[in-house]
Amino acid sequence: MRGLHDVRAWLDERLPTLLREYGVPGAAWAVLYGGEVVDGAGGLLSTATRVEATVDSVFQIGSVTKLWTSTLVMQLVDEGEVELEAPVRTYLPEFRVADEAAAGRITVRQLLNHTAGFEGDIFTDTGMGDDCLEKYVANLHGVPQLFPPGEQFSYNNAGYCVLGRLVEVLRGRPYDECLREHLIGPLGLTHTAPGPYEAIMFRAAVGHVQPEPDAGYVPAPVWALARSNAPAGSTLAMRPRDLVAFARMHLEDGRAADGTQVLAPGTAARMQTREVDLPALGLMGTSWGLGFERFDTPAGTITGHDGNTIGQSAFLRMVPDAGLAVALVANGGDAVSLYRDVAGHVLGELTGVALPPLPVPPPDPRRIDAERYVGTYSAEVFDLTVSQDDDGRIWVEQVPKGVFAELGGQVERIELVHYRDDLLIPLKADRGMYMPRAFVGDDGTGHALYLHLGRAVRRANA
């Protein structure tokens, strides 16, 4: 297939230059098209050991893991063991959050499409034992409810940990064993590691982080986040070829390459169907399905997911109508710009669907009264304080706390400018991107109730 092999030749030639340009230590990629897969790699797995990346090197895929967790749940739906509209407590009677009424109403579907409404950035380390997810869910009893279940989208890591526990209970075995038995094995994957003890058997990438703003990238102090967050994306690692094998199953109506029916016919398409819209943030999808992020473009729909762990990034994009999937994994630097160049070229050469353009600040932003937006918005892992100075300039200060502070997060102060109605955007790029801030709702006094970054951060004391 000439088009696919032209893509491979271009990537083989360009990847070393792109790695240098974007300060990425190492990366690997794979493309599936027309039932054929090509892959490649470049750079270093660690700048400390100088081990080179190969096509069989495993990188953490971070929150792309959520697609694997949602697939495990949908297998149970296929088997009649789970109803999407059923309250989570049907299967996990012990499930609690601070709002008892909400806890009783939250459904499996709302966990899958990120509309459950409780605080989602909970990274409690409950140990390395097989009971870590059970303990994690038990510790959610004090987590605040940000909005009524089903009201809006708010990305929820904790919700996927609850789903992982649901899978454990109904399957009667730990989450990583469920991955092996119900996905890794049936898909015939050979370079996929549910955790660090398996990853060390391969050439495993190490994440690279900046110890302080504007500093160079160095190997991260730890390899992974807590095992208790595994269903949300803290530990799963694999080579890109294995990731596109998973994507192929979703593109081919639930069938593995050898014909094994991993999902019932129709279920894969159901998972990629629009469930809920997002604020116009530009960097995330326009809508979400049952696990899948969706980019609704004039030329067609792109589905997939992104992932970020400690210094590692992963990107999976699928164009269902073209039978195409592209996976990119990287271990530091400006991974977003690398992804844009790699995936943008692949989609441009093989499909008529282009990546949506990234948001950028207007060249001459108009001055506005930011009174509706000023104030402090608080989450489990950071506080965000929006202010407007005497010159009319708008600022947001992010102060890390909890696990973000423990991992060395720095206080950041960023200037924002008007972008669109109830949307502000940074004046300067961060790793090649400008992340808009959406201000949603009303606290009853004319001020925004939420600062939305893909997850809704509620105004403090509101």
Side-chain angles (χ1 to χ4, degrees), residues 50-197:
R50 312 298 296 180
V51 174
E52 294 182 352
T54 70
V55 295
D56 288 334
S57 299
V58 299
F59 291 69
Q60 290 184 46
I61 65 166
S63 286
V64 182
T65 303
K66 291 181 175 69
L67 298 181
W68 298 65
T69 300
S70 59
T71 301
L72 290 173
V73 172
M74 293 305 292
Q75 288 175 327
L76 290 165
V77 173
D78 288 343
E79 295 168 19
E81 296 296 323
V82 168
E83 292 286 342
L84 290 178
E85 307 305 336
V88 177
R89 281 187 177 171
T90 305
Y91 314 104
L92 298 178
E94 69 276 17
F95 172 66
R96 297 284 187 280
V97 292
D99 185 328
E100 174 62 20
R105 297 202 315 271
I106 292 168
T107 66
V108 176
R109 181 186 296 277
Q110 289 165 349
L111 292 180
L112 285 168
N113 66 23
H114 297 279
T115 62
F118 57 89
E119 166 70 56
D121 284 335
I122 310 297
F123 301 104
T124 309
D125 187 347
T126 56
M128 290 296 293
D130 287 348
D131 61 353
C132 64
L133 266 177
E134 179 182 6
K135 290 178 177 178
Y136 177 96
V137 172
N139 278 326
L140 295 178
H141 60 85
V143 170
Q145 190 74 21
L146 305 177
F147 53 82
E151 180 179 272
Q152 62 176 302
F153 176 93
S154 183
Y155 191 81
N156 194 322
N157 285 295
Y160 267 75
C161 296
V162 176
L163 289 171
R165 178 59 183 157
L166 180 153
V167 171
E168 286 190 338
V169 169
L170 294 182
R171 293 296 187 198
R173 61 199 65 193
Y175 174 80
D176 53 0
E177 290 186 19
C178 295
L179 280 176
R180 293 189 195 96
E181 181 172 342
H182 295 278
L183 288 176
I184 296 171
L187 290 171
L189 307 182
T190 59
H191 290 68
T192 295
Y197 296 115

Side-chain angles (χ1 to χ4, degrees), residues 200-211:
I200 198 65
M201 304 299 292
F202 303 101
R203 294 170 74 106
V206 172
H208 291 72
V209 298
Q210 289 177 294

Side-chain angles (χ1 to χ4, degrees), residues 220-235:
V222 293
W223 189 77
L225 291 165
R227 186 187 179 196
S228 54
N229 278 81
S234 65
T235 60

Side-chain angles (χ1 to χ4, degrees), residues 172-411:
R173 61 199 65 193
Y175 174 80
D176 53 0
E177 290 186 19
C178 295
L179 280 176
R180 293 189 195 96
E181 181 172 342
H182 295 278
L183 288 176
I184 296 171
L187 290 171
L189 307 182
T190 59
H191 290 68
T192 295
Y197 296 115
E198 297 90 350
I200 198 65
M201 304 299 292
F202 303 101
R203 294 170 74 106
V206 172
H208 291 72
V209 298
Q210 289 177 294
E212 57 187 45
D214 300 322
Y217 282 85
V218 298
V222 293
W223 189 77
L225 291 165
R227 186 187 179 196
S228 54
N229 278 81
S234 65
T235 60
L236 185 59
M238 65 191 64
R239 63 177 180 175
R241 182 175 283 266
D242 282 20
L243 183 50
V244 297
F246 171 82
R248 178 177 183 168
M249 179 269 292
H250 278 276
L251 290 170
E252 297 185 358
D253 200 20
R255 292 186 303 275
D258 67 356
T260 300
Q261 201 72 43
V262 177
L263 287 169
T267 296
R270 185 182 180 190
M271 292 177 67
Q272 296 176 64
T273 300
R274 176 193 165 279
E275 290 265 321
V276 60
D277 292 328
L278 273 66
L281 297 172
L283 292 173
M284 296 183 73
T286 51
S287 61
W288 222 271
L290 296 174
F292 276 89
E293 187 175 11
R294 292 168 43 91
F295 300 82
D296 303 289
T297 80
T301 300
I302 303 169
T303 62
H305 214 291
D306 295 347
N308 289 284
T309 62
I310 305 172
Q312 299 200 51
S313 301
F315 306 88
L316 175 65
R317 294 292 181 268
M318 299 156 48
V319 182
D321 289 344
L324 177 139
V326 54
L328 173 74
V329 288
N331 63 347
D334 183 358
V336 171
S337 292
L338 177 64
Y339 143 72
R340 296 283 304 181
D341 282 4
V342 170
H345 181 81
V346 171
L347 267 63
E349 290 295 306
L350 300 178
T351 79
V353 183
L355 293 178
L358 290 178
V360 295
D364 186 21
R366 66 181 179 89
R367 291 296 179 97
I368 62 168
D369 179 356
E371 177 61 22
R372 168 167 158 74
Y373 314 134
V374 298
T376 297
Y377 303 80
S378 185
E380 185 78 12
V381 291
F382 51 61
D383 287 333
L384 301 168
T385 299
V386 178
S387 61
Q388 187 167 30
D389 64 24
D390 292 341
D391 294 327
R393 299 168 74 184
I394 306 167
W395 303 88
V396 61
E397 183 175 75
Q398 178 172 313
V399 179
K401 59 186 186 183
V403 68
F404 280 18
E406 294 168 9
L407 291 172
Q410 303 291 314
V411 175

Side-chain angles (χ1 to χ4, degrees), residues 436-450:
R437 273 69 169 172
F439 294 84
V440 179
D442 192 292
D443 70 348
T445 69
H447 296 91
L449 185 55
Y450 307 100

Side-chain angles (χ1 to χ4, degrees), residues 390-433:
D390 292 341
D391 294 327
R393 299 168 74 184
I394 306 167
W395 303 88
V396 61
E397 183 175 75
Q398 178 172 313
V399 179
K401 59 186 186 183
V403 68
F404 280 18
E406 294 168 9
L407 291 172
Q410 303 291 314
V411 175
E412 297 181 11
R413 189 168 187 260
I414 301 168
E415 184 173 3
L416 304 176
V417 297
H418 178 262
Y419 183 51
R420 297 177 189 164
D421 290 345
D422 280 340
L423 281 167
L424 303 179
I425 191 168
L427 193 57
K428 295 182 179 180
D430 177 20
R431 285 163 291 180
M433 56 186 175

